[in-house]
Amino acid sequence: MTSRREEPIMYVASSTYRRLAAAGLAAAAVAIPVQIAGGMDYPVVPPGLLILTAGALVALLVRPKWALAVPTLIAVFLSFGAVVNDNARDALGDPGDFLAFAGTILQCAGLVAGLVFCALSLTEREPAA
């Protein structure tokens, strides 16, 4: 009788970089409700929350390496949007409004972490089978 290695039912990234990229994007997503609680203007259903959550899930759960292009592009575009958006600049300029300020700091840190760790994961060597 030969032993056959069973494939796991669901793939979860084993790469530390992929997990850290997913955590960074998830932190950026969590920052949006914090910003809303601080009074920042968002639509009823914040698209950034949905986009960042999807990016974190892709980084964590989608196996092909090329799939990391999705969360990388999400981090790039939302980082660019945060830089050009008046809301983010206003929140960072007023640390007295604690929730909006803290949420914006968390979102920026999460976007940077997501971008850096996605890039590192893309350059990481695949483990030998």
Side-chain angles (χ1 to χ4, degrees), residues 3-100:
S3 88
R4 194 174 128 195
R5 185 174 163 227
E6 291 187 30
E7 287 294 318
I9 294 172
M10 185 171 81
Y11 170 79
V12 177
S14 59
S15 162
T16 301
Y17 291 148
R18 282 183 87 138
R19 288 180 180 201
L20 289 171
L25 294 173
V30 166
I32 292 175
V34 173
Q35 291 173 327
I36 293 169
M40 290 182 71
D41 292 329
Y42 274 95
V44 174
V45 178
L49 179 63
L50 301 175
I51 293 167
L52 287 164
T53 301
L57 290 172
V58 167
L60 189 62
L61 301 176
V62 179
R63 184 182 303 258
K65 192 173 200 172
W66 59 263
L68 284 169
V70 172
T72 303
L73 289 173
I74 287 171
V76 166
F77 284 118
L78 291 181
S79 295
F80 178 75
V83 169
V84 300
N85 187 348
D86 289 340
N87 278 343
R89 286 195 309 262
D90 291 345
L92 290 174
D94 185 13
D97 190 0
F98 180 73
L99 285 176

